[in-house]
Amino acid sequence: MESHINLYITLVATSAVLNVFLCLYTYSRRSEIPSSQIFILYTGALSIYTFGYAIELASNTLEQMKFWTTVEYIGMPFSASLGLILMVKYTGKTLSKKVTAVLFVIPSITLCMVATNDFHHLFYKKVWLREDSPVPLMDIAIGQWYVIHGAFTFSCLLCACLILIGQWRHTKKMYRRQLLTLITSQIIPMVAAFLYLIGLTPGGMDPVPVLMCITSAMYIWAILSSRLLTIVPIAKDSIFESMREGVIVLDSSNRLVDYNRSLRDMLPELNQTMVGQPLNDIWLSLAGETFPVEYGREGLQTDLYWQLCGETVCYQVRTSYVFNKNAQVVGTLIMLIDITEQRFMQEQLKQLAYFDGLTKIYNRTQFLLKGREMLSEADLSLQSASLILLDIDYFKRINDTYGHDVGDQALVHVVSVCNRYLRNDMMFARYGGEEFVIALPNTSLQEAAQLAEQLRVALLNEPLDIQGVPVTLTSSFGVAQYNGESDSLESLLRDADHALYESKRNGRNTVRVHAVSMA
C-alpha cells in the first residue's frame, strides 16, 4: 500500500511539474499565443491544485492534510471556470464581463468554505484519518456545498467539452488533432471526477490529479507537434469569416473547397451544396456563363462587374496559388475586393476630367488631346480627316428670354439631336459656351459638309419643347479638312472657325466650307 501511495504521489507531482512547465512556457511565448493570460492562469491553477494534493498525500497529520487541502482549493475550483473560458475563446467567441464574473462566484465561495470548514462543516461534514491504512490518509464525508461545488465543476467541464465538439465540423482536418486534444483534456477529468464521486476509484483515491499528468503531456505534445495555442485554427477561421473581402478557395482541379461570409453576401445564391463542384460550373448556374476571369495563374489582378440586388457592383479580382509544405501548388485562392465606391469615384473624376458636366460629351481639353491623336493616325494611315465647328444661333437671346435653365436645356437638346447622326468613331465635344466641335476621321471635306447639312436641317426641324411651347433652334456650321503634316490641330480649328464666321456673317443657319481647303 505504501509503495502504491509513493507511486501516486510521484505521478501527481509529475502532473504539477508539467503544468508549471506549461505555465512558464506560455508566459515566455505570451506575445505569440492568443488568450495567453487565460492559459497561464489555467495552468497555474492546475499547478497549485496538483502540488497541494501531492503534499497532502505526503503529510503525516490531519491538520497538515487539512491545510494542504485548503491550498489545493486555491487552484482547483478556479481551474474549471478558467478552462471553460479558455475553450470559449479558442472557438473564437467571447464572454461578457458579467458572465465571466459569475463563473468565479461559486469557486470563490468554495475556497472560503474549505478554509472555514471547521466552523460550519458545510463543505466536509466530517474529516478523519483512515484506520485501515498503513500510511496516513484523509477520508471525508461530503457536505451540502461540496455537492454544489461538484455540480458546478462538472457543468463547466461538460459545457467546455460540448462547445469544442460543436466546433468539430467547422474545423479543417489539419487542425482537428488540436481540437481532439482539447476535447480529451476536458473528458478525462470529467469522467474521473464522476467515478470518484460514486466511489468506483481504486482505494477511494481522487484520480483527477494523476490523470492531469496525461492531459498535460497531451498539451505539450500538441504544442510541439501542431503548435497548439500558437496557431489557433478557430481563430483563423474567425478571421477568414470576418474578412471584408470575398475569398474563394479552389483545389488543384479548380473545384470549390471553401468560401467565407463576405463571398456569401456577394453571391447570395452560393450554398454549401456547391462545394466540390468546378468553379466554372457554379458560375454557369449563377450567371449563365463561366467565370469571366482567367483565374488559373498567379498574381492576376483585374476587375469583375456583377449585378447584386439590381445594382451593378465592381469587384477587383486577385489570385494567388496555394502551396503545400513541399512547395507544390495544391490550389488557387481568389479574392474579390469590393471596389464599387472606388470605381464610382474614379468614374466621377474621369467625367470631370474628360467630359462636359452638362452635356456628357468630351470637354475642350480632352478633345484637344484626342484630336491630335486622330491627326497622327491620319498621317500614318494616309487617310483624310475633317472638322466641323457649330455654334447655336442667338444663344444669348434664349438665355435672356427664357432664363439660363432653358439655355442649358438648349445645349443638351442640340447634343441629343446631333448624336443620332454621328458614327461611333466620330468625336463630339463642347468647345466653348454654345460652341461644339466634331472630329471626323477618315472623312473627306465633301462628306463632312454633307453631315453638317444633315445636322443643320435636323436642328431646324426639331424645335426645343419648353412647357409645351416649341422653340426653334438653329446653328451655324464651319467645315475644314486636314491637309496632312502641313496642318496642325490648331490650324485646322482656325480654318473651321473662319468658315463658321462666314456662316454667321451670311445670315446664320448655314454651312460654310473653308475656302483654302476647297482649293
Side-chain angles (χ1 to χ4, degrees):
M1 179 67 178
E2 187 174 354
S3 62
H4 290 163
I5 294 297
N6 290 335
L7 176 61
Y8 203 83
I9 293 172
T10 301
L11 291 174
V12 173
T14 302
S15 296
V17 170
L18 292 176
N19 279 302
V20 169
F21 169 78
L22 285 170
C23 183
L24 295 176
Y25 174 84
T26 307
Y27 180 79
S28 67
R29 304 287 295 274
R30 61 189 181 279
S31 61
E32 306 171 22
I33 298 177
S35 305
S36 60
Q37 290 181 341
I38 299 297
F39 194 72
I40 290 169
L41 292 173
Y42 175 63
T43 52
L46 292 177
S47 300
I48 295 172
Y49 169 42
T50 48
F51 263 127
Y53 190 69
I55 299 174
E56 178 203 329
L57 292 175
S59 300
N60 295 318
T61 67
L62 185 60
E63 289 303 315
Q64 288 177 348
M65 293 178 185
K66 288 165 65 176
F67 172 78
W68 287 109
T69 298
T70 303
V71 172
E72 290 174 43
Y73 277 84
I74 295 175
M76 192 264 280
F78 297 98
S79 66
S81 300
L82 290 167
L84 176 58
I85 294 171
L86 180 66
M87 301 313 157
V88 169
K89 285 186 174 292
Y90 181 84
T91 59
K93 302 178 179 64
T94 56
L95 296 175
S96 66
K97 291 182 179 179
K98 187 176 181 179
V99 173
T100 303
V102 168
L103 286 175
F104 291 100
V105 171
I106 290 180
S108 300
I109 296 174
T110 297
L111 177 59
C112 293
M113 287 288 186
V114 173
T116 60
N117 188 70
D118 288 344
F119 300 101
H120 49 72
H121 301 287
L122 292 173
F123 197 79
Y124 299 132
K125 287 182 180 180
K126 186 179 178 182
V127 180
W128 68 93
L129 291 176
R130 295 183 184 180
E131 295 180 358
D132 58 345
S133 175
V135 294
L137 287 176
M138 187 177 76
D139 214 342
I140 61 168
I142 63 174
Q144 296 95 321
W145 191 261
Y146 189 98
V147 176
I148 296 173
H149 154 73
F152 174 78
T153 302
F154 186 85
S155 299
C156 286
L157 292 169
L158 180 62
C159 287
C161 187
L162 293 176
I163 288 170
L164 293 172
I165 291 173
Q167 284 293 336
W168 183 266
R169 66 187 184 91
H170 301 295
T171 303
K172 295 177 175 60
K173 290 183 179 179
M174 62 184 296
Y175 297 119
R176 285 184 175 176
R177 186 169 58 177
Q178 290 188 17
L179 189 58
L180 184 61
T181 300
L182 295 176
I183 293 172
T184 306
S185 73
Q186 301 301 304
I187 292 177
I188 288 177
M190 183 171 61
V191 174
F194 180 76
L195 293 175
Y196 173 64
L197 288 173
I198 63 176
L200 293 180
T201 56
M205 303 289 288
D206 185 356
V208 175
V210 173
L211 295 176
M212 287 293 173
C213 183
I214 298 174
T215 57
S216 299
M218 290 176 63
Y219 273 130
I220 294 172
W221 168 78
I223 286 171
L224 297 177
S225 64
S226 61
R227 298 181 68 192
L228 175 68
L229 302 177
T230 305
I231 298 178
V232 182
I234 308 301
K236 279 177 168 278
D237 284 346
S238 178
I239 293 171
F240 180 68
E241 286 296 323
S242 62
M243 289 175 65
R244 294 181 61 186
E245 297 81 12
V247 180
I248 304 172
V249 183
L250 306 177
D251 64 12
S252 57
S253 299
N254 294 324
R255 293 174 298 195
L256 180 64
V257 174
D258 203 356
Y259 58 89
N260 65 351
R261 183 183 296 113
S262 293
L263 189 76
R264 288 196 297 273
D265 295 337
M266 295 174 179
L267 305 172
E269 300 89 352
L270 197 65
N271 57 69
Q272 283 290 334
T273 62
M274 295 178 177
V275 172
Q277 298 180 20
L279 180 61
N280 278 333
D281 292 351
I282 295 172
W283 213 265
L284 191 63
S285 65
L286 295 180
E289 61 177 354
T290 57
F291 193 68
V293 174
E294 183 187 353
Y295 52 85
R297 57 190 178 93
E298 174 81 2
L300 175 70
Q301 184 170 316
T302 186
D303 290 352
L304 169 65
Y305 288 88
W306 183 257
Q307 290 293 323
L308 181 64
C309 299
E311 295 184 2
T312 301
V313 292
C314 182
Y315 302 125
Q316 185 178 81
V317 181
R318 297 181 183 179
T319 64
S320 60
Y321 290 142
V322 179
F323 299 90
N324 63 10
K325 62 182 180 181
N326 298 320
Q328 296 173 325
V329 177
V330 294
T332 305
L333 187 144
I334 304 175
M335 184 176 292
L336 276 66
I337 305 169
D338 190 345
I339 56 170
T340 306
E341 186 175 351
Q342 178 184 339
R343 285 290 180 265
F344 178 73
M345 293 297 296
Q346 288 178 346
E347 194 62 32
Q348 281 189 320
L349 291 174
K350 181 180 177 182
Q351 289 289 333
L352 292 173
Y354 298 163
F355 298 94
D356 176 60
L358 176 64
T359 61
K360 310 305 179 186
I361 60 176
Y362 282 124
N363 59 24
R364 181 189 181 104
T365 302
Q366 189 65 11
F367 171 79
L368 294 175
L369 176 64
K370 289 190 170 292
R372 293 187 181 96
E373 294 175 359
M374 183 194 75
L375 297 185
S376 297
E377 292 175 4
D379 286 335
L380 291 174
S381 60
L382 301 177
Q383 293 179 343
S384 58
S386 299
L387 205 68
I388 299 174
L389 274 179
L390 66 109
D391 188 278
I392 302 176
D393 297 330
Y394 305 111
F395 185 71
K396 185 176 183 300
R397 186 184 300 172
I398 296 173
N399 279 332
D400 292 343
T401 304
Y402 302 101
H404 289 279
D405 287 344
V406 174
D408 290 344
Q409 292 178 38
L411 294 171
V412 174
H413 175 76
V414 168
V415 170
S416 176
V417 172
C418 292
N419 269 329
R420 295 203 296 268
Y421 295 87
L422 303 182
R423 300 193 311 262
N424 290 334
D425 63 338
M426 295 177 178
M427 186 166 38
F428 193 15
R430 186 177 177 187
Y431 195 63
E434 69 274 18
E435 193 172 18
F436 299 90
V437 60
I438 305 172
L440 300 95
N442 194 24
T443 304
S444 66
L445 184 65
Q446 183 179 2
E447 291 170 333
Q450 290 173 351
L451 176 60
E453 180 62 20
Q454 277 185 300
L455 299 178
R456 185 194 68 79
V457 173
L459 289 170
L460 179 64
N461 293 334
E462 297 185 38
L464 174 66
D465 185 285
I466 303 174
Q467 297 180 350
V469 178
V471 176
T472 300
L473 298 176
T474 63
S475 292
S476 301
F477 293 79
V479 184
Q481 183 178 14
Y482 179 60
N483 292 317
E485 294 182 0
S486 59
D487 272 346
S488 64
L489 180 61
E490 287 73 16
S491 63
L492 187 59
L493 285 166
R494 282 196 301 270
D495 291 346
D497 192 53
H498 290 155
L500 176 61
Y501 177 75
E502 288 295 321
S503 176
K504 285 185 172 294
R505 196 175 64 173
N506 286 278
R508 293 183 170 82
N509 190 29
T510 58
V511 175
R512 288 289 183 269
V513 176
H514 188 253
V516 175
S517 297
M518 288 183 67

